[in-house]
Amino acid sequence: MIKPLKNFLPLAISAVIASAATAQDLVLEEVVVTAQKRVERLQDVPISVNAVSGAKMEEAGITNLEGMTAYVPNLTMNQTGIGTIIAIRGISSGINQGFEQSVGQYVDGVYYGRAQLARAPFMDLERVEVLRGPQSILFGKNSIGGAISMVTAKPTEEFEGQVTALYEPSHGEKDLRVVLSGPLTDTLSGRLSLMGRDMDGYYENTTLDRDESGDKEQVIRGQLKWDASEDLTVNLKLETGSFDTKGRNLEPINATELPGGTPYAAILSVLIGGQYALDTEQDFKRQSNGDYSNNNTENATLTIDYALGEHTLTAISGYNAYDYEEDCDCDFTGATIFTADSREDFKQFSQEIRIASPGGETVDYIGGLFYQSSEMTFDDAIRIPSNSLLPIALAGPSSPPSLQAIAPLLANTSSQRDFTQDSELWAAFAQVTWNISDDWRLTAGGRYTTEDKDATRRQYHVAGGMEQPTGTPLPPNYYNILYGLFKIEPYQPIADNRSEGKFTPLITLQWDITDDIMLYATYTEGFKSGGFDVRSNAHPDPAVVNATRGAEDLVGVFEYEEEQAKSFEIGSKMTLADGAAELNIAAFRTQITDMQTSQFDGVLGFNVTNAGEATTQGVELDGRWLVATGLTLSGSIGYLDFVYDEFPNSQCYFGQTSNSATNPGLCDLKGESREFAPEFQGTVSADYSQPMGDNLEWRITGDVNFSDAYYTSPTLDPNLKQDAYAKLNLRLAVGSQDGMWDVALVGKNLTDESIATFGNQLPVSTTLTGGTGTAYYSFYERPRSIALQGTMRF
């Protein structure tokens, strides 16, 4: 089914050209973006950009960034057990709270660089622009893979309002949104946006007899727009929100063992004194003793636009803060083994000042200064409950007598970690366009960034409510011996600071071949700053030996270096059939060096390394066609070829024989692709509407989202590979012709595809089987759902 869909868009565009003579009176509505900090037609911007309107997101029931990825090729977002991964063209950051994000998020021009904020719900947006490739000048802050720019709807000069409600019975989803906007005085207007959303979930937790994950989201946003004079406009936005979940959308799958090995399920069965089954196939059921994630956000943005003669001076002040508390039953089974909890508190202030020339001159330019400071505190803990099966397993008859004697000490203990980081960043940027002639334009830009970071981290064990000494892994430091089995080493606080500066250039050449066809070529460089590893479970100095795992000296990571990219892109934007159709195409090649990766240590921890080098290249194609009045076809497709040029120190997947020439315990992935990098990915859409009688209109919108196969685990484990799929979404609506109301049925994933978004080994599964068996877990997207949606506008 996938291959015919890959060919659909080029054939459709060919049909557009062939039918140009019959489309003389049809013209597509223009799409306007601010990808270059100016209001421009999408067809004039020399960047690979996808713009998704707020109306499309409402109709498709897109409530967050994860839901939008189906409509933007080469964009993926995946939740994991302890983090969130966003990727563009295969470029992403791993699982670590210390990482800057490879894909920068911006809301009304303010940088939202923390991965946790990617889970925040969408509400009352004008549009979302996805810019692919390094955005190193006008966005700048670490956006080495691309940028996601979200633009909220602004106060209006005329009074308007909207109420939208949605109900989906199968998974208990209820969504209510209210918007009021209009003038308050002759010069002051306001907008109030409210959202409340609840969902029981689509997983059955058979341990707790409840549906998961139970989502609860709330957002309140208020905006004021003051037209102080003809030259001065001030916009203030204040927002507070929360997004909480109970449970997780994952389940254990594919338990396996080596020849003659011990099945993980058999170990659990012995420990609980009864049969314990791990699923061999996906069934939207899980066993867990309870998980939750409670998140609170607040932000304020003040935007000032001042007409300085023919120039525009813009100042954006942003405050962004969030905190969360999570508890993870991270053995991902109903057995009582261990839990992991974490808390993070983050605050950020930023100030951008830029000036832009009026545009349309021989030389157009934009430039400015940027400042950002942030503070983060993070702590987490691995906790072994008093009734945990882990001490029982370690005291089993196959364990050495010395371990049998001390294993019971693990009960009612924890290993805890504290981390802090302060950051301060300054940047200056400029971009200049020389309009050489009516047909040729040359753009050059540069940004210089300097950033300072200070961080501290410590690891410690707690037993009986008291912190235990560090010291060597010898008696009486039994906790160091026991936690060393899980590659966890306690140590006194370590602290460090780092400063780095980087210049990133851009050069673009544009050629208007005709009034309707533009060709461009771009070279740019990007970087993602280095930092400090939050989640490493051991001291970075091999001379500090407070715990070992057998004969293995545990060595962790604290500081890691910056990641760099060099990117080439050529593309064309074409308006066809006298404005009835558009076709955009981009081909790219990006080389990445000193890749920052977060590698699972096979037990409980992750270590950050600058792993090696990679090349990602491909082609992106998107188009629209207004076939006839009321009928629009659109589609987009991305081809991606991601290859590791160097990656000698990847973790091997279970049962894999090491092929590393430098470390027999690791695997070399040179020449391989990476996770979340399908070769083809895209969507095909049709929108058709017709009047019914004098006052009514019916409308049907259909989308087919498709993807080639891809790996869901960073180890490229074949047990965790998602097959190719195509899923159908359909919306059937009836409403008034003046658009004041409509009622719709919204169907998602009507083909009921099982789509895995992330997978890995079950923590401690290999440890409890003595390395002879393991099991896996995987996150899955929502299955088929059909909701009733109603909208009233006034």
Side-chain angles (χ1 to χ4, degrees):
M1 187 173 182
I2 300 297
K3 292 187 180 297
L5 289 171
K6 295 174 186 174
N7 298 325
F8 176 85
L9 189 57
L11 292 175
I13 297 301
S14 298
V16 170
I17 298 172
S19 63
T22 64
Q24 299 298 319
D25 59 341
L26 299 175
V27 178
L28 283 167
E29 183 179 352
E30 288 186 349
V31 177
V32 174
V33 297
T34 53
Q36 297 191 115
K37 304 298 183 180
R38 298 178 185 270
V39 177
E40 299 174 290
R41 289 194 323 137
L42 177 62
Q43 297 304 102
D44 295 332
V45 177
I47 303 172
S48 179
V49 184
N50 270 84
V52 181
S53 68
K56 173 64 178 178
M57 286 183 277
E58 284 184 10
E59 292 174 357
I62 299 172
T63 59
N64 55 28
L65 180 59
E66 188 171 12
M68 200 184 73
T69 58
Y71 297 89
V72 182
N74 289 340
L75 168 68
T76 61
M77 172 187 163
N78 310 92
Q79 293 191 36
T80 75
I82 55 172
T84 304
I85 300 173
I86 310 172
I88 289 181
R89 294 175 174 175
I91 302 174
S92 65
S93 295
I95 308 167
N96 196 287
Q97 280 75 6
F99 276 141
E100 305 289 346
Q101 292 304 295
S102 300
V103 178
Q105 298 176 81
Y106 301 82
V107 180
D108 293 328
V110 176
Y111 178 64
Y112 281 40
R114 308 299 300 168
Q116 195 76 1
L117 292 175
R119 302 185 184 185
F122 283 178
M123 182 194 61
D124 195 23
L125 294 177
E126 182 179 313
R127 68 185 177 277
V128 176
E129 302 171 16
V130 179
L131 291 67
R132 290 177 288 240
Q135 303 301 313
S136 53
I137 311 302
L138 300 181
F139 289 91
K141 172 63 174 164
N142 296 301
S143 302
I144 193 171
I148 300 172
S149 178
M150 307 176 194
V151 182
T152 62
K154 299 300 186 289
T156 54
E157 295 181 358
E158 301 292 333
F159 176 77
E160 63 179 43
Q162 178 174 314
V163 178
T164 302
L166 179 144
Y167 175 65
E168 197 281 329
S170 296
H171 308 140
E173 181 182 13
K174 299 175 287 292
D175 191 312
L176 178 64
R177 299 165 189 247
V178 179
V179 176
L180 298 173
S181 180
L184 302 175
T185 69
D186 290 342
T187 59
L188 186 67
S189 55
R191 190 178 187 95
L192 177 64
S193 307
L194 308 172
M195 188 208 76
R197 177 176 177 270
D198 297 277
M199 185 169 76
D200 296 335
Y202 53 90
Y203 260 91
E204 180 187 355
N205 185 332
T206 59
T207 305
L208 300 178
D209 190 25
R210 71 181 189 186
D211 292 331
E212 294 182 350
S213 66
D215 299 337
K216 185 174 183 179
E217 302 170 347
Q218 296 178 334
V219 180
I220 302 174
R221 179 191 302 150
Q223 294 191 72
L224 291 174
K225 181 183 178 183
W226 179 35
D227 294 312
S229 68
E230 292 184 357
D231 298 329
L232 178 63
T233 300
V234 180
N235 197 98
L236 175 65
K237 181 187 71 177
L238 301 174
E239 180 180 292
T240 181
S242 63
F243 51 102
D244 304 333
T245 63
K246 291 183 179 180
R248 293 174 184 268
N249 301 323
L250 67 83
E251 60 185 285
I253 57 170
N254 298 343
T256 186
E257 66 273 352
L258 298 175
T262 304
Y264 182 47
I267 294 290
L268 296 180
S269 297
V270 170
L271 293 175
I272 66 174
Q275 188 66 30
Y276 196 100
L278 288 174
D279 292 338
T280 57
E281 59 183 33
Q282 190 269 327
D283 61 0
F284 291 108
K285 293 183 179 181
R286 67 186 303 250
Q287 295 176 313
S288 171
N289 296 300
D291 312 74
Y292 65 83
S293 175
N294 296 330
N295 302 259
N296 300 293
T297 63
E298 58 184 29
N299 65 77
T301 304
L302 178 66
T303 304
I304 301 173
D305 289 305
Y306 180 64
L308 195 63
E310 294 186 343
H311 290 66
T312 300
L313 183 67
T314 300
I316 303 176
S317 306
Y319 171 77
N320 182 23
Y322 71 87
D323 64 79
Y324 72 79
E325 180 177 346
E326 294 187 340
D327 187 84
C328 176
D329 185 18
C330 274
D331 54 76
F332 301 134
T333 71
T336 302
I337 300 177
F338 75 96
T339 62
D341 56 71
S342 60
R343 287 148 296 276
E344 183 177 346
D345 193 307
F346 178 82
K347 295 180 176 63
Q348 170 190 295
F349 171 77
S350 65
Q351 179 67 60
E352 180 175 332
I353 300 175
R354 65 175 185 264
I355 189 167
S357 65
E361 306 294 322
T362 302
V363 176
D364 298 327
Y365 56 86
I366 185 169
L369 300 172
F370 178 77
Y371 170 77
Q372 177 183 293
S373 63
S374 65
E375 300 177 358
M376 179 180 72
T377 60
F378 175 85
D379 67 88
D380 65 348
I382 302 293
R383 302 187 189 275
I384 314 298
S386 57
N387 60 339
S388 170
L389 303 177
L390 192 57
I392 301 173
L394 294 178
S398 61
S399 299
S402 58
L403 180 57
Q404 294 179 22
I406 63 174
L409 295 175
L410 261 183
N412 199 29
T413 67
S414 63
S415 184
Q416 303 183 32
R417 172 172 39 218
D418 298 333
F419 179 90
T420 67
Q421 178 175 279
D422 295 335
S423 174
E424 188 173 57
L425 177 146
W426 291 88
F429 60 92
Q431 183 167 296
V432 179
T433 298
W434 175 26
N435 296 296
I436 304 170
S437 67
D438 290 342
D439 301 330
W440 289 89
R441 292 177 297 283
L442 180 66
T443 299
R447 186 182 190 107
Y448 183 77
T449 303
T450 178
E451 186 169 16
D452 299 318
K453 291 181 178 178
D454 298 277
T456 65
R457 192 183 77 201
R458 73 173 183 135
Q459 185 89 32
Y460 56 99
H461 303 328
V462 175
M466 298 183 62
E467 182 175 334
Q468 302 300 300
T470 53
T472 57
L474 298 172
N477 285 338
Y478 296 118
Y479 299 105
N480 295 12
I481 298 172
L482 290 167
Y483 276 101
L485 298 173
F486 306 98
K487 295 189 176 182
I488 300 176
E489 177 180 59
Y491 48 84
Q492 295 298 318
I494 53 178
D496 207 346
N497 60 77
R498 59 178 286 118
S499 299
E500 57 188 313
K502 185 69 176 179
F503 175 75
T504 49
L506 171 144
I507 186 165
T508 300
L509 182 64
Q510 286 179 258
W511 176 30
D512 291 336
I513 302 175
T514 70
D515 290 343
D516 296 324
I517 300 177
M518 182 265 282
L519 184 69
Y520 69 90
T522 294
Y523 170 78
T524 187
E525 296 180 9
F527 88 104
K528 184 172 59 173
S529 60
F532 298 96
D533 188 339
V534 174
R535 306 201 70 102
S536 184
N537 276 342
H539 195 284
D541 187 351
V544 176
V545 183
N546 293 333
T548 61
R549 180 179 165 93
E552 178 186 359
D553 180 18
L554 303 180
V555 180
V557 176
F558 190 48
E559 185 176 0
Y560 56 90
E561 299 303 317
E562 68 179 38
E563 177 180 299
Q564 302 179 60
K566 297 180 179 180
S567 183
F568 300 86
E569 180 174 312
I570 59 172
S572 179
K573 300 200 171 182
M574 295 170 276
T575 301
L576 306 171
D578 291 336
E582 294 173 350
L583 174 63
N584 303 323
I585 185 170
F588 63 90
R589 179 182 174 88
T590 302
Q591 293 180 300
I592 313 158
T593 57
D594 298 320
M595 285 186 62
Q596 299 169 1
T597 64
S598 180
Q599 297 175 327
F600 183 52
D601 64 12
V603 187
L604 290 173
F606 291 82
N607 292 304
V608 174
T609 62
N610 291 90
E613 302 179 0
T615 299
T616 178
Q617 57 190 353
V619 178
E620 291 150 352
L621 192 72
D622 66 83
R624 297 187 297 154
W625 176 20
L626 183 56
V627 181
T629 302
L631 175 60
T632 302
L633 299 180
S634 59
S636 55
I637 187 171
Y639 165 74
L640 181 65
D641 177 25
F642 186 103
V643 175
Y644 286 115
D645 300 317
E646 292 183 16
F647 197 173
N649 55 345
S650 172
Q651 180 205 355
C652 300
Y653 60 78
F654 178 75
Q656 184 181 17
T657 301
S658 173
N659 61 351
S660 173
T662 58
N663 191 324
L666 298 175
C667 285
D668 191 341
L669 293 186
K670 181 177 181 179
E672 299 289 341
S673 184
R674 72 172 306 174
E675 74 278 18
F676 317 130
E679 188 176 18
F680 285 95
Q681 183 185 34
T683 186
V684 176
S685 302
D687 189 305
Y688 184 59
S689 62
Q690 284 292 313
M692 293 176 56
D694 296 331
N695 301 313
L696 298 179
E697 178 183 77
W698 68 271
R699 181 179 179 188
I700 184 169
T701 304
D703 304 312
V704 177
N705 309 133
F706 58 92
S707 173
D708 263 342
Y710 57 86
Y711 292 102
T712 66
S713 169
T715 63
L716 309 186
D717 193 321
N719 286 294
L720 293 167
K721 190 173 185 179
Q722 169 63 45
D723 293 333
Y725 65 84
K727 64 178 180 179
L728 172 66
N729 306 312
L730 202 62
R731 183 179 190 269
L732 178 61
V734 175
S736 63
Q737 291 185 16
D738 60 8
M740 298 307 291
W741 65 269
D742 63 63
V743 177
L745 285 175
V746 181
K748 295 183 180 181
N749 192 10
L750 294 177
T751 45
D752 206 23
E753 298 285 339
S754 295
I755 302 172
T757 59
F758 181 82
N760 217 325
Q761 289 178 229
L762 282 177
V764 310
S765 59
T766 52
T767 300
L768 292 185
T769 61
T772 65
T774 194
Y776 304 91
Y777 68 92
S778 187
F779 283 78
Y780 282 91
E781 286 188 10
R782 189 173 176 178
R784 180 191 296 118
S785 65
I786 300 176
L788 178 65
Q789 182 187 60
T791 301
M792 180 71 71
R793 302 175 182 87
F794 48 90

